[in-house]
Amino acid sequence: MSDAQHILVVDDDDRIRTLLKKYLTRSGYRVTASASAGGARKLMTTFDFDLAVLDIMMPGESGLDFLSSLRQAGKRVPILLLTARGETSDRIEGLKRGADDYLAKPFEPEELLLRLEAILRRTHVEPPPEEVEMSGLVFNAKRGELTSGARRVRLTEAELQLLSMLASKAGEPVSREELASKSPNSTERSIDVQVTRLRRKIEPDPRQPVHIQTVRGIGYRLMPD
């Protein structure tokens, strides 16, 4: 359970807090609950949450005001709002203030789970691997080093930037346009030249590349071992 995503449930209704804690825990999540915005704010100083389920209608600080304070403080935790059925204005206002989705009460726990999972799929980004292995070579993006055993393979600054960009999206196509836009003084044509040079340093057979692959009509894709 230590690797389970952590959900914060904020609702002054004891029944809803208990229901969601049991249901989401059974669904594989770690769940912490609070009856108020103030309590939730304190929890956020201690824990990092992957998503918060936030009721709008709470005594004291409302869910909308709490949402606004989070966004103004730069906290990007995804928010699923719980609203009163028929309160269209609350839903619109919540989305304007930075909510990711909303669900009207009363609701089916299964629908809440599906909406929660959809938000997490959209917002959760896996950090790129620190090291990428390619036919006996190891590229460490953090250190900016390409090594073969104890030997360091020399890369030009342009080659290093290109390899770093491809490694950050390993397995995914990256367009020539994007590669050129993020590399100073580069053009799409110069990217092709840099790729050719990189292949000579990385590929077992540069004429038949297996690691820096051409994606027809798009650009290139880095495929590690």
Side-chain angles (χ1 to χ4, degrees):
M1 287 298 291
S2 61
D3 292 332
Q5 289 174 300
H6 197 175
I7 308 299
L8 173 64
V9 174
V10 189
D11 198 306
D12 62 309
D13 188 321
D14 294 343
R15 293 169 304 151
I16 289 180
R17 288 201 312 279
T18 301
L19 168 70
L20 290 182
K21 188 157 189 175
K22 286 182 179 178
Y23 190 83
L24 294 176
T25 299
R26 284 202 306 265
S27 300
Y29 293 96
R30 180 184 174 197
V31 184
T32 300
S34 173
S36 68
R41 188 174 281 105
K42 289 179 182 177
L43 288 168
M44 284 183 160
T45 63
T46 304
F47 301 106
D48 289 324
F49 294 100
D50 295 289
L51 183 143
V53 178
L54 176 61
D55 183 34
I56 285 183
M57 298 296 292
M58 293 189 293
E61 185 178 3
S62 74
L64 287 177
D65 289 340
F66 181 47
L67 170 60
S68 292
S69 71
L70 290 177
R71 295 302 186 237
Q72 288 167 8
K75 293 187 181 295
R76 298 307 309 164
V77 59
I79 301 288
L80 172 61
L81 284 179
L82 298 180
T83 71
R85 186 173 296 280
E87 291 298 328
T88 306
S89 60
D90 282 346
R91 300 174 197 175
I92 293 172
E93 187 61 27
L95 293 171
K96 283 182 177 178
R97 297 193 192 194
D100 295 87
D101 199 358
Y102 62 82
L103 185 60
K105 292 181 177 181
F107 56 84
E108 289 293 331
E110 185 178 3
E111 182 180 359
L112 182 138
L113 177 63
L114 291 171
R115 288 178 178 271
L116 179 152
E117 290 174 341
I119 294 171
L120 290 172
R121 282 196 300 271
R122 292 198 307 267
T123 58
H124 182 68
V125 178
E126 289 286 346
E130 189 169 296
E131 289 190 341
V132 174
E133 296 186 20
M134 301 165 289
S135 299
L137 297 172
V138 177
F139 177 62
N140 186 301
K142 190 173 182 180
R143 292 201 302 266
E145 289 181 354
L146 179 65
T147 54
S148 175
R151 181 178 67 87
R152 183 169 177 175
V153 179
R154 182 182 174 278
L155 296 174
T156 66
E157 187 61 33
E159 291 168 348
L160 174 59
Q161 287 183 340
L162 177 59
L163 186 55
S164 295
M165 284 186 280
L166 290 170
S168 71
K169 296 184 177 182
E172 299 178 23
V174 185
S175 70
R176 288 180 176 83
E177 183 182 12
E178 181 179 351
L179 292 169
S181 69
K182 294 181 179 179
S183 183
N185 305 316
S186 290
T187 64
E188 292 184 32
R189 175 61 188 145
S190 68
I191 292 297
D192 292 338
V193 173
Q194 297 300 336
V195 165
T196 299
R197 291 173 177 168
L198 259 182
R199 282 172 171 165
R200 291 178 189 146
K201 297 179 179 181
I202 291 173
E203 300 287 354
D205 181 357
R207 292 169 298 178
Q208 296 182 310
V210 293
H211 296 300
I212 302 180
Q213 300 177 353
T214 299
V215 182
R216 191 175 300 277
I218 299 176
Y220 299 98
R221 169 175 53 211
L222 180 71
M223 296 299 293
D225 291 338

